[in-house]
Amino acid sequence: MTCLLCDKPLHDQPTWQHFLGMQQDTFACLTCLEKFERIDQVIQNDVLDSVHSLYAYNEAARAYLHQFKFMQDVALAQIFAPALRRVLNDAKKIVVPIPMHPVNKKKRTFSQVDALLEAAKIPYQSLLEKTTESVMGEKSRSERLAMTELFHVPADIPYNEAVYVLVDDIYTTGTTLHHAAEALKQRGVHRVEAVTLFRPIREK
Amino acid sequence: MSERNQLKQFLAGRIWLRHLLPFSEEAVDEAMRQGDIHIEPGVTTKKTWHGKHYACQRCHNENQARFTVFTCAQCEAPCAYCRNCLNMGRVSCCSELLTWTGTPPTFPTSHRMNWQGNLTPSQQKATSELLESTKQGVSHLLYAVCGSGKTEMLFQPIHYVLQEGKRVCLAAPRVDVILELLPRLTTAFPDTKVEALYGGAEVEHFDAQLILATTHQLYRFHEAFDAVFVDEADAFPYTADETLQQAVRKAAKPNAPIHFVTATPSRQLLAMNKKQGHISVLARRYHGQPLPVPRSVALWNYEKQLKKKRIPAKLLRWTAERLEKQQPFLIFFHQIELMEIAEPLFQKLDERICAVHAEHEDRKERVQLLRQKAVPGLLTTTILERGITIPNVQVAVVGAEQTIFNKGALIQIGGRVGRSVPNTSGDFVLFHQGITYAMDEAKREIRKLNHTEVPQ
Ligand SMILES: [Zn+2]
Ligand SMILES: [Zn+2]
Ligand SMILES: [Zn+2]
Ligand SMILES: [Zn+2]
């Protein structure tokens, strides 16, 4: 087994923790993992009852997302599986990934959020559909605000009382999550939370 | 040149992902209709008793641990991709690899060689031997010490192959080496279409006859070259990686000679060429002066001292002397972490001193600053062990007993010293805590080369 990020061999001699099932599978070496800065930042805004971002969007995160999304290295979904599992492992909440537009998904060959959740073995419900092919980063602020509807909820929502958790890879302007939460709330959902892997933080 | 012709010149000898071809879809479709292009799946699947067995059709990787299977939205099935050659564009079961099967392209047979340098008798002897092997189609090992001017010795053999209207590849394991070679070859062959291929490089010429490539990039070629010269043949990652060696063989035509050039040949490389090829040894630098022999100086607990924010006394004295005499210097560390601990300590001696390692994007500029004497010295990992020339540079290795400093690495590091006239010698010091076999071996080898008889 080698590190998914730097290819150096991982020391995988079994320890007593393996035998007790405490040791989780590792996919990256400590040197690589240490480059990610855990922040666990939680914020609230009008529609979203909470947004929990796990890591800072730093240089390592940028390189990670580049290899994962742009180079299409699906295997990298494993790296944050343990962290996501710990945060999302709550059977009472319904996990909803932020979707890609079908055309973009076909081009990329996979949806990064679905891949992250599948690696983490978190059950999810694809309740949202993306209505536009364009990507948030390509739009100006005024264009983003002027957009009426980014997501569409095609089916009925069964349990309005349940807590819904949106998952996305990165929190940038908040527009995406805002629209997704609004789409759910319009269908009668009471509480919508969100978890994102990364979030830019201001340099100290 | 028509787009169709460009496509032929480009694709012949390559194995390329369809969606990365720098040509219009119409031109590609038209060539396919003519039967000039063959398509194959990027990754093939064989069913075996223990499950599926994948093989990458581009890099020929079959190590199952280097494949990842995922639910693919394009082919709407479980799909495997190869992680071994990922950085050249992902290849999966549903991606299409294209090869040219139409008439082969032709290349010019008249090339100017713009190079009036004088070869020493030793250099001329080696280059003639290499040329002779090239004509015979026999693999040749050019075992030439650091600073012997080995690039110049390749010019005549390369010129010969070009004049035959054939395609040549000069491969090296590291981008740095390719970038250093490029201007020298475009100057030497001013009329020849030369192209450098490395991670991130854009396609510039569609019809290059002389191709410089990192060994990694050779994954994208298939029976393309009539001769391949592998420079720095011992360097990481080429020695480490068997599929890379396969890539070199795959890129060459079946009977094309594969030549190796190195200052520190591995035992296998020597054995291989003794058995089925030729060897030339160039034991003297082009200026005729001996290679600097390293001196060993004990430096106990250097790691502990650096962590306590103290430069060990002997290392401090050595550095102060370089600063005082205004001699540019390189200090090698075995580990990035330790080097970064040391960096601010050295900056107290002179704030312009800085560190370089593989992940620094501006390392080329920093080396340039050292050459221009804008920076008095650099701390470095083994990334600068080869390929660079800095007049009058003095070299220290901190922790020479560390395993990363094997015999080859130490000889390469010493090869930075005394490369150019008039500073044909210099200090090469190994700070250590315990002398290793590799240190002894390196010293013995350097002494042996210095005592080798050379033709006058
Ligand atoms: Zn790693
Ligand atoms: Zn198998
Ligand atoms: Zn491959
Ligand atoms: Zn597929």
Side-chain angles (χ1 to χ4, degrees):
Chain A
M1 203 45 199
T2 58
C3 171
L4 284 177
L5 294 172
C6 71
D7 256 355
K8 290 196 183 113
L10 292 170
H11 304 287
D12 55 353
Q13 300 93 331
T15 62
W16 60 272
Q17 286 164 316
H18 267 108
F19 292 115
L20 296 176
M22 282 164 66
Q23 179 77 32
Q24 273 155 337
D25 288 341
T26 44
F27 292 91
C29 71
L30 220 55
T31 317
C32 286
L33 287 177
E34 275 172 354
K35 291 179 186 156
F36 297 101
E37 187 194 341
R38 186 82 192 222
I39 51 170
D40 283 312
Q41 199 182 64
V42 182
I43 56 156
Q44 290 175 350
N45 68 25
D46 48 350
V47 216
L48 285 153
D49 297 287
S50 85
V51 183
H52 179 177
S53 300
L54 274 53
Y55 295 90
Y57 185 61
N58 58 9
E59 189 49 37
R62 194 200 55 75
Y64 169 85
L65 285 185
H66 176 83
Q67 191 173 335
F68 182 37
K69 289 156 69 172
F70 180 74
M71 313 272 293
Q72 305 168 296
D73 195 2
V74 195
L76 296 197
Q78 294 293 348
I79 288 174
F80 294 104
L84 283 171
R85 194 154 47 222
R86 243 167 278 136
V87 174
L88 291 169
N89 198 3
D90 184 342
K92 290 191 289 291
K93 296 183 180 176
I94 296 171
V95 173
V96 182
I98 295 293
M100 286 174 87
H101 189 276
V103 171
N104 295 334
K105 181 175 165 183
K106 196 162 180 166
K107 258 190 238 159
R108 181 164 292 160
T109 73
F110 66 102
S111 153
Q112 66 268 16
V113 184
D114 293 3
L116 286 170
L117 292 171
E118 273 153 32
K121 299 194 174 69
I122 300 287
Y124 61 87
Q125 295 189 21
S126 302
L127 297 176
L128 298 170
E129 257 177 24
K130 188 106 186 268
T131 53
T132 161
E133 265 184 66
S134 62
V135 182
M136 266 307 130
E138 293 164 2
K139 297 200 174 305
S140 73
R141 184 172 158 76
S142 53
E143 276 179 307
R144 278 197 306 267
L145 291 173
M147 296 186 63
T148 46
E149 193 193 38
L150 275 179
F151 298 101
H152 168 74
V153 184
D156 279 337
I157 294 214
Y159 311 105
N160 284 344
E161 301 300 323
V163 176
Y164 285 76
V165 187
L166 295 166
V167 180
D168 206 356
D169 52 349
I170 181 164
Y171 180 102
T172 41
T173 59
T175 315
T176 305
L177 287 173
H178 182 100
H179 277 258
E182 212 148 57
L184 287 177
K185 287 206 165 170
Q186 272 167 12
R187 288 303 197 96
V189 172
H190 293 260
R191 188 175 167 84
V192 180
E193 299 174 351
V195 168
T196 77
L197 200 48
F198 301 114
R199 183 192 170 109
I201 48 161
R202 247 174 250 137
E203 298 290 325
K204 276 162 255 162
Chain B
M1 206 192 306
S2 71
E3 190 177 16
R4 200 188 129 62
N5 235 330
Q6 281 192 346
L7 175 62
K8 178 212 268 197
Q9 295 277 353
F10 178 80
L11 192 57
R14 299 190 200 223
I15 177 157
W16 218 258
L17 272 169
R18 182 176 190 163
H19 68 272
L20 293 183
L21 266 183
F23 297 95
S24 71
E25 258 173 65
E26 296 80 61
V28 177
D29 287 343
E30 176 55 28
M32 271 177 202
R33 261 194 302 279
Q34 306 272 333
D36 288 343
I37 287 178
H38 171 75
I39 306 182
E40 61 183 320
V43 172
T44 56
T45 315
K46 258 197 325 233
K47 290 209 174 73
T48 68
W49 59 273
H50 59 83
K52 287 181 174 165
H53 186 90
Y54 299 108
C56 177
Q57 297 306 297
R58 181 169 64 188
C59 75
H60 291 192
N61 165 40
E62 290 195 38
N63 174 359
Q64 300 302 297
R66 305 285 282 154
F67 289 94
T68 294
V69 184
F70 71 108
T71 314
C72 178
Q74 185 162 325
C75 59
E76 292 170 337
C79 187
Y81 70 92
C82 173
R83 292 195 80 238
N84 193 52
C85 58
L86 186 76
N87 59 355
M88 279 166 280
R90 196 186 72 179
V91 165
S92 69
C93 293
C94 64
S95 46
E96 294 174 311
L97 287 174
L98 271 44
T99 43
W100 183 261
T101 48
T103 52
T106 51
F107 293 98
T109 51
S110 161
H111 297 264
R112 197 150 55 92
M113 184 161 67
N114 173 27
W115 178 71
Q116 289 91 24
N118 289 319
L119 293 177
T120 64
S122 318
Q123 283 178 315
Q124 190 50 58
K125 180 168 178 288
T127 202
S128 304
E129 287 166 357
L130 184 59
L131 178 61
E132 198 44 47
S133 293
T134 307
K135 287 180 181 170
Q136 292 172 15
V138 178
S139 168
H140 196 109
L141 168 63
L142 179 57
Y143 175 9
V145 298
C146 299
S148 57
K150 54 194 166 62
T151 308
E152 286 71 20
M153 287 185 267
L154 305 182
F155 289 170
Q156 287 172 15
I158 288 175
H159 190 228
Y160 166 80
V161 186
L162 293 174
Q163 293 283 70
E164 296 275 291
K166 291 174 171 174
R167 202 147 47 153
V168 196
C169 176
L170 178 51
R174 287 187 180 170
V175 188
D176 303 54
V177 180
I178 294 297
L179 292 175
E180 224 205 56
L181 289 172
L182 181 63
R184 296 165 73 181
L185 281 143
T186 46
T187 311
F189 301 104
D191 303 333
T192 306
K193 289 262 169 63
V194 185
E195 165 126 63
L197 293 175
Y198 48 90
E202 294 285 324
V203 176
E204 277 177 35
H205 302 294
F206 298 107
D207 51 351
Q209 193 177 351
L210 171 56
I211 287 176
L212 274 61
T214 55
T215 30
H216 239 96
Q217 292 290 325
L218 294 184
Y219 285 147
R220 304 169 98 174
F221 289 88
H222 181 76
E223 299 187 358
F225 302 108
D226 299 282
V228 180
F229 297 79
V230 185
D231 197 6
E232 307 279 358
D234 59 301
F236 171 88
Y238 182 73
T239 38
D241 195 332
E242 226 170 272
T243 61
L244 275 173
Q245 307 205 21
Q246 269 180 33
V248 176
R249 236 161 274 142
K250 178 171 91 86
K253 287 187 180 165
N255 291 316
I258 299 171
H259 302 316
F260 298 94
V261 186
T262 174
T264 46
S266 67
R267 211 163 292 155
Q268 296 109 288
L269 204 55
L270 278 166
M272 193 175 87
N273 281 278
K274 253 178 210 154
K275 215 168 91 191
Q276 44 183 285
H278 299 146
I279 301 181
S280 303
V281 181
L282 205 83
R284 199 65 88 235
R285 297 183 140 185
Y286 79 94
H287 54 55
Q289 295 307 310
L291 292 163
V293 180
R295 58 191 185 93
S296 306
V297 174
L299 193 73
W300 304 103
N301 294 321
Y302 57 88
E303 210 155 344
K304 226 191 219 161
Q305 296 197 59
L306 287 170
K307 282 179 181 158
K308 282 188 183 157
K309 305 208 182 314
R310 234 181 8 233
I311 299 177
K314 287 178 195 163
L315 179 57
L316 183 67
R317 225 173 299 136
W318 186 85
T319 313
E321 197 183 324
R322 305 285 82 78
L323 289 169
E324 197 188 292
K325 292 186 178 163
Q326 298 191 8
Q327 295 169 324
F329 62 88
L330 290 171
I331 303 178
F332 286 83
F333 288 83
H334 74 284
Q335 208 191 38
I336 296 174
E337 290 77 17
L338 189 66
M339 177 174 83
E340 287 182 340
I341 290 172
E343 190 181 12
L345 309 179
F346 280 91
Q347 283 168 344
K348 279 184 204 150
L349 302 177
D350 188 311
E351 60 182 10
R352 295 168 302 165
I353 297 175
C354 60
V356 290
H357 64 77
E359 281 160 43
H360 284 153
E361 274 163 23
D362 53 354
R363 68 168 188 269
K364 260 178 288 161
E365 287 88 80
R366 290 186 181 181
V367 170
Q368 194 51 35
L369 289 175
L370 181 64
R371 232 174 248 142
Q372 295 160 351
K373 296 200 164 185
V375 158
L378 293 175
L379 314 184
T380 174
T381 58
T382 52
I383 186 75
L384 293 187
E385 83 184 24
R386 59 181 78 223
I388 63 158
T389 301
I390 294 149
N392 200 25
V393 76
Q394 316 286 307
V395 169
V397 178
V398 176
E401 78 287 352
Q402 301 282 348
T403 44
I404 191 167
F405 297 119
N406 58 27
K407 173 181 127 188
L410 289 173
I411 291 174
Q412 290 285 355
I413 289 171
R416 301 308 104 215
V417 182
R419 285 171 83 89
S420 39
V421 183
N423 310 104
T424 56
S425 68
D427 198 16
F428 174 28
V429 54
L430 305 178
F431 290 112
H432 66 87
Q433 23 182 29
I435 289 181
T436 59
Y437 184 64
M439 289 162 69
D440 273 341
E441 280 279 277
K443 212 179 276 188
R444 196 172 310 136
E445 174 112 14
I446 289 169
R447 286 217 177 96
K448 193 177 116 196
L449 287 165
N450 284 344
H451 284 111
T452 305
E453 290 290 329
V454 292
Q456 293 305 312

